Amino acid sequence: MRSERIRSWWGWGWADAAVGPDERARLVARLPPHWVADELPVPRVEDVVLRAPRVSPPDTLNPICTVHPHVRMSHTYGKAYRDVVRALHGDLGAAPDVVAYPETEAQIVDLLDWAGGANVAVIPYGGGSSVVGGVEYRGDRHDAVLTLDLTRMDRVLEVDRTSRAALIQAGALGPVLEEQLAPHGYTLRHYPQSFEFSTLGGWLATRAGGHFAMRHTRIDDFVEALRVVSPSGTSQTRRLPASGAGPSPDRLFLGSEGTLGVLTEAWMRLQDRPVHKATRAVSFGDFAAALRAVRAIAQSGLDPSNCRLLDEAEAAINTGRADGRAVLVLGFESADHPVDSALARTLEIARENGGSVDSTSTQDSVGDWRAAFLRMPYIRDALARSGVVVETFETACTWDSAERVCDSVRAGVRAATEEICGESGIVTVRLTHVYPDGVAPYFTVIAPARRGSEVQMWDQIKAAASDLLSGLGASITHHHAVGRDHLRWYEAQRPDLFGEVLRAAKNSLDPRGVLNPGVLFD
Amino acid sequence: MRSERIRSWWGWGWADAAVGPDERARLVARLPPHWVADELPVPRVEDVVLRAPRVSPPDTLNPICTVHPHVRMSHTYGKAYRDVVRALHGDLGAAPDVVAYPETEAQIVDLLDWAGGANVAVIPYGGGSSVVGGVEYRGDRHDAVLTLDLTRMDRVLEVDRTSRAALIQAGALGPVLEEQLAPHGYTLRHYPQSFEFSTLGGWLATRAGGHFAMRHTRIDDFVEALRVVSPSGTSQTRRLPASGAGPSPDRLFLGSEGTLGVLTEAWMRLQDRPVHKATRAVSFGDFAAALRAVRAIAQSGLDPSNCRLLDEAEAAINTGRADGRAVLVLGFESADHPVDSALARTLEIARENGGSVDSTSTQDSVGDWRAAFLRMPYIRDALARSGVVVETFETACTWDSAERVCDSVRAGVRAATEEICGESGIVTVRLTHVYPDGVAPYFTVIAPARRGSEVQMWDQIKAAASDLLSGLGASITHHHAVGRDHLRWYEAQRPDLFGEVLRAAKNSLDPRGVLNPGVLFD
């Protein structure tokens, strides 16, 4: 293990980084007092009773498998609000029977063979940061559940400096792979909020969104070649910068969320570390004007690395700004050339669309924002323990419906909280990724919950939000993936015919249906 | 019909644009005299005997079908060298029995239903510009062949100015769709060499390469949503700027080359017309140095729109330059902001890598080059008629193998021409599209042929070239597609497991196997 720090089994991140009493006091002070309940205690590991494992792996695989309760508990759920709450309530009936830590591809093949023969469901698992039920078995058709933790396959195997690409094992967590790329002067530069606690394989399987607000918004475009082990065999694509030879094999596995095979390695395109940077914040009195500005910037071809619009409530929460204005944080970066003129032209467009440009560079506030951004899941956990529903959901839509999506979803989800929680919650939006033809809005909900009914209440809010998105023709997800929580709306979004094709692919690659059952398919 | 001009049934483009006696004389004067044979005459349409049509479409479909010999002849082949030569020799045994011109999607559904029931192979056909045998039936398992010419479905149905996207029917030829977008101030800006004689549907089905040397190099990235009619039903994806909801449905159909369904409509991302442009040529004494320069530019993030490197022979042929230097043509363009500083920095990188920058803008020579580029297929036909093998092939490879690919393939194909044609031919290379991690080299072969054996000789040269590419780990195609001519090498390149998945998709979408049999699948 590279770190002596211990991961939280019930909540986000490092156990020792959880919100303490002082920080909690400051947090809850910002909420209506009657929203705040006594802090839900964390169950002691030794007090949680798990079902006895229903299978034993064969002797040859035993050395890489464990049935240790702490390990099984920490692999039961992802890290959604509903996962954290259930863990805190000691509701761990879905714990996997066995957790395996393969160190070689041959071991993965053997594990899949064994699982197929023994009717054991296999949950491929990277950092376990899913917020859509992606790593939690919910079915009843399998005799047991095996979680396949890939984090021991975490090496950068080869760096091609000429092509600026690296062969990386799928189980490498963000910091682990960046640490290995740094001596070569390169970076993958993929920074989802889960960066510390998610893996390359997880990013690829879920089409994760990363650092760049424009252009290479998700991990997909950085894939040069992919290696996948499925129960039917292994697939390895050729390293190519691009190919027009038939439909892209890699694009079938990107977004397959562990249902078609286990991603084991990928050749990834790297970046030089940026040396030129320029950032600035622009504020808007009117969110609609801010949207017009972002659209004009998105269609200008300037392609800022960062183009993050916070509505007035997000701006207040995240930057401490209390002037009721929406804030657009712009950033440019390059390893090759100055970016000041690109920023200047972008600011001109922002001004033309009613923006008021901050007088100084936002480098500090960008740093603050980043720190707050990475701290957010810990705060979410603290609020969850204090009886508050706190969760996020995200989407993508074309520009012609962007304002309607932002407005209707905020209003509609507020109305849903009023109905479900008894009073209107806080619903905010920010834009995380931007395209010439549309945008990815990201919503946050904060509302009071009734102890013991938190999951049910959140599920109702989530269903209301998802129905709204679906009705507006927006995507059920831009980068959080489908998992089990989005399945109903995903099936409505996915053309039926493509659903049949995917099912045919699944039958071909995983004929016994052991891979991540319940994800992508009913 | 929008044009009164008549398409050539045997060769490229407009019948009245074929090379005439004077131009032919100038062309052949540039070749060794003993390479040049008497000009092969074009058979008269009325002299060509076609097999009688083996089927009659049902009465309801008859009004949109034709068995006219001229139409059947002109739909027999694509526009590869081997197609032109066979047509000139009157070898039209592969002519389709019927050509249908559907005007509605319902008619496509009816045609597919009829074909499925009658065991009639269906060849989706746009502009017919395939150079890989993509539109030519070669099997013997079907009772007849129907070519589905989609060019009557050629309208821009809707323009969304806010999202800068348009819903376009798949049968629109390049000029036809651009003409409809122009009044809105937009352009698709996709200019393959075949622009005048290829359709949106054809571009999508073959993942065609277009205008931009970097970033959006192929049509794939401009697709917002896709509509496909298959024998099993119709698939329509949601209009989204991006989505992380499962594997991309559109990416399955992009590159499916008419084997999984008929693409009928697509929402396409548009561009504003550029107003700022800057171009310059840079020459290099050494091709390896030029490659290093292009690589440095490709990895700089400057992303020129045009970044076309011609080796010394290409430069001599295409620009008249006779100093034995390789030429890199660089271009930047924008609808929003000046691009001079981006060009200046790019030229600096070129100089750092041994380039000598032309003193004046290359706007004129770019125009000349473009005119020559579009004239090239007509010239190819004229030389084909004069007994010379003239053909191109292309690939993509990562930068670490780029020099080896360019050098080995030029040398290897020259050796192949020596063996096959009795003397060494001319083999040149240019780079058409560029990526941070690799490049797409495009090769031209000119060699003497023996009358009557031209196709066989070309096929031997092509096999030698394809074996070389395969052995070097390069792609069998970057943007010409697989068709029937690349099948053997495509099967070697495609992971077997993905081949099985594709086959499962095919069985699901086209259970009777009538769609473009022999393409992508054996």
Side-chain angles (χ1 to χ4, degrees), chain B residues 335-359:
Chain B
D336 178 78
H337 46 269
V339 290
D340 310 283
S341 64
L343 177 63
R345 172 62 192 138
T346 307
L347 295 177
E348 203 170 280
I349 296 173
R351 275 191 210 97
E352 285 163 13
N353 286 277
S356 170
V357 178
D358 276 13
S359 53

Side-chain angles (χ1 to χ4, degrees), chain A residues 160-165 206-207 215 217-218 220-221 224 228-230 232-257 260 269-270 272 295-296 298-303 334-337 341 345 349 396-401 435-440 469-470 473-482 489-490 492-498 500-502 504-505 508-509 520, chain B residues 160-165 206-207 215 217-218 220-221 224 228-230 232-257 260 269-270 272 295-296 298-303 334-337 341 345 349 396-401 435-440 469-470 473-482 489-490 492-498 500-502 504-505 508-509 520:
Chain A
D160 171 357
R161 302 179 69 92
T162 311
S163 312
R164 223 177 51 179
T206 60
R207 306 177 67 187
R215 299 194 48 187
T217 54
R218 290 175 310 169
D220 310 34
D221 292 331
E224 192 178 80
V228 185
V229 175
S230 82
S232 296
T234 298
S235 168
Q236 168 74 60
T237 50
R238 208 175 269 188
R239 278 190 68 194
L240 293 171
S243 167
S248 165
D250 294 343
R251 297 277 180 174
L252 175 74
F253 291 107
L254 291 170
S256 62
E257 302 191 21
L260 302 182
R269 297 173 184 130
L270 306 177
D272 292 306
R295 174 161 67 86
Q299 296 179 346
S300 70
L302 290 157
D303 293 340
S334 169
D336 177 78
H337 46 271
S341 63
R345 172 63 192 137
I349 296 173
C397 60
T398 45
W399 278 115
D400 62 316
S401 66
Y435 301 86
D437 62 330
V439 65
L469 293 177
S470 203
S475 184
I476 190 59
T477 178
H478 172 265
H479 61 270
H480 278 176
V482 175
W489 298 276
Y490 168 62
Q493 175 172 339
R494 179 180 69 190
D496 289 342
L497 210 59
F498 185 69
E500 288 166 31
V501 167
L502 264 194
S508 170
L509 294 168
L520 293 193
Chain B
D160 171 357
R161 301 179 70 91
T162 311
S163 312
R164 223 177 52 179
T206 60
R207 306 178 69 187
R215 298 194 48 188
T217 53
R218 289 174 311 169
D220 309 33
D221 292 331
E224 192 178 79
V228 184
V229 176
S230 82
S232 297
T234 298
S235 169
Q236 167 74 61
T237 50
R238 207 174 270 189
R239 276 190 68 195
L240 293 171
S243 167
S248 165
D250 294 344
R251 298 274 181 176
L252 175 74
F253 291 106
L254 292 169
S256 61
E257 302 190 21
L260 303 181
R269 298 175 184 129
L270 305 177
D272 292 305
R295 174 161 67 87
Q299 296 179 346
S300 69
L302 291 157
D303 293 340
S334 170
D336 178 78
H337 46 269
S341 64
R345 172 62 192 138
I349 296 173
C397 61
T398 45
W399 279 115
D400 62 315
S401 65
Y435 301 87
D437 61 330
V439 66
L469 293 177
S470 202
S475 184
I476 190 60
T477 178
H478 171 266
H479 61 269
H480 278 176
V482 175
W489 298 277
Y490 169 62
Q493 176 171 338
R494 178 179 69 189
D496 290 342
L497 209 59
F498 184 70
E500 288 167 30
V501 168
L502 264 193
S508 170
L509 295 167
L520 291 193

